[in-house]
Amino acid sequence: MGVTLAYETWGEGPRPLVLLHGFTGSRSSFDDLRPFLGRAVKAIAVDLPGHGATPLPQHTGREGFLETVDALVALVDRLGHGPVDLLGYSQGARVALAAAVRAPDRFGRLIMESGSPGLHRRQERTARREADAQLAAFIRARGVDAFVDRWEALPLFEGLRQLSPERRDALRARRRACTPEGLAGALECLGLGVQPDYWPELHAQRLPTLLLTGAKDAKFTQTARRMAAELPVVWRHAFADCGHAPHLEAPEAYAREVLGFLQTPWYEAPQFDSPAATVAGAGRMGS
């Protein structure tokens, strides 16, 4: 039957928005956005496999990744909302893109924060799988606390070290709530090395897409630029003075960008009656 994704809902708005967290996160990872999004959306915050209350999939590797994508599509079908919008951060952004490619009719708009379509070269995927296997072994041998110390010291998360002590403590507590097997297993089924390469699929991805990054995160901002050159309907924004996690570093500005995108009419009706009148399509936007 495959894995079943745990989730919770919040918000009073009419527009369903699925939220997919990053590695070491959970359904509560987007709680800082509640005051800014809650009136406009009905959030469906998901625990990805190995995190929160969702178990690992039955398979590892590429099969486990695709099992997770199928579980997300199945969740949307069970909820019965019709097309829903998708927002994913980092690991969650990669799953969101995969779901949009897998079942575009189930989704309305796609928001990817600090995400990637995958690794294009086989050698890169092999090297990343080996690195993730070593990290999984470290987690199993040393435990979550030792891993979190190592994870939080990465230059990628410099921006998060500028959060208030209370918010840093809450983030650390959320990470430490993970289990060693959950995190290690997530690396083995959701890691970048096992994800299919979706770069060749971008030109056919018709969902309006918003790419969000922190301007200080040069690697993922460059990836977003490359993606924007391939996607047909795309809007891109890099938050000044933010790193890898703008939804935590600048939640109010982040929410404004998300709502601006969701509320933009991407296709406008003609303003006059004429046999020659056609529907105007949205083009690429950037900042």
Side-chain angles (χ1 to χ4, degrees):
M1 296 296 293
V3 67
T4 298
L5 301 177
Y7 70 95
E8 68 176 356
T9 62
W10 53 261
E12 304 168 357
R15 187 164 193 147
L17 175 65
V18 174
L19 302 175
L20 303 177
H21 60 80
F23 184 59
T24 74
S26 71
R27 69 180 80 173
S28 65
S29 292
F30 294 97
D31 280 359
D32 286 350
L33 300 179
R34 289 193 186 208
F36 311 115
L37 294 182
R39 292 185 178 181
V41 307
K42 173 64 72 175
I44 304 157
V46 173
D47 284 337
L48 288 172
H51 300 78
T54 297
L56 292 168
Q58 296 177 4
H59 303 90
T60 58
R62 178 188 177 98
E63 292 78 9
F65 186 92
L66 295 177
E67 182 182 337
T68 301
V69 173
D70 287 342
L72 178 58
V73 174
L75 173 61
V76 170
D77 288 345
R78 287 200 308 276
L79 293 174
H81 288 300
V84 303
D85 300 319
L86 268 176
L87 186 159
Y89 161 64
S90 195
Q91 173 185 264
R94 296 188 284 106
V95 174
L97 174 62
V101 171
R102 166 75 173 79
D105 58 311
R106 308 306 207 284
F107 305 105
R109 302 188 184 192
L110 172 65
I111 302 170
M112 295 180 63
E113 175 190 357
S114 303
S116 165
L119 298 173
H120 195 53
R121 294 184 176 87
R122 182 181 302 176
Q123 296 91 332
E124 291 178 321
R125 292 195 295 274
T126 299
R128 182 56 184 260
R129 285 196 301 271
E130 292 173 352
D132 283 347
Q134 292 175 4
L135 186 56
F138 176 91
I139 295 170
R140 289 185 172 110
R142 300 284 300 279
V144 171
D145 288 355
F147 162 73
V148 170
D149 289 342
R150 175 174 169 175
W151 187 250
E152 291 183 338
L154 292 174
L156 188 68
F157 300 118
E158 172 62 32
L160 296 178
R161 292 192 277 276
Q162 310 307 314
L163 299 179
S164 69
E166 295 78 13
R167 294 182 67 212
R168 287 201 310 271
D169 289 345
L171 176 59
R172 183 172 178 83
R174 186 161 58 239
R175 287 169 167 164
R176 293 178 67 179
C178 297
T179 66
E181 188 55 38
L183 290 181
L187 286 170
E188 293 165 346
C189 69
L190 297 177
L192 189 58
V194 302
Q195 173 187 319
D197 173 18
Y198 290 109
W199 281 103
E201 309 289 341
L202 294 184
H203 75 282
Q205 207 288 95
R206 296 298 189 224
L207 298 185
T209 301
L210 173 63
L211 305 176
L212 298 175
T213 61
K216 291 184 175 180
D217 184 357
K219 175 182 176 180
F220 281 90
T221 297
Q222 178 59 29
T223 297
R225 291 193 186 102
R226 291 177 56 205
M227 292 178 65
E230 300 291 333
L231 289 161
V233 185
V234 63
W235 189 1
R236 183 180 65 80
H237 182 78
F239 294 91
D241 299 322
C242 285
H244 190 63
H247 72 283
L248 293 173
E249 298 170 55
E252 186 171 3
Y254 182 96
R256 283 199 304 269
E257 201 68 28
V258 167
L259 290 179
F261 170 73
L262 293 179
Q263 295 167 357
T264 295
W266 284 92
Y267 297 95
E268 299 177 356
Q271 299 300 309
F272 55 89
D273 294 326
S274 166
T278 58
V279 176
R284 292 189 177 89
M285 301 177 64
S287 63

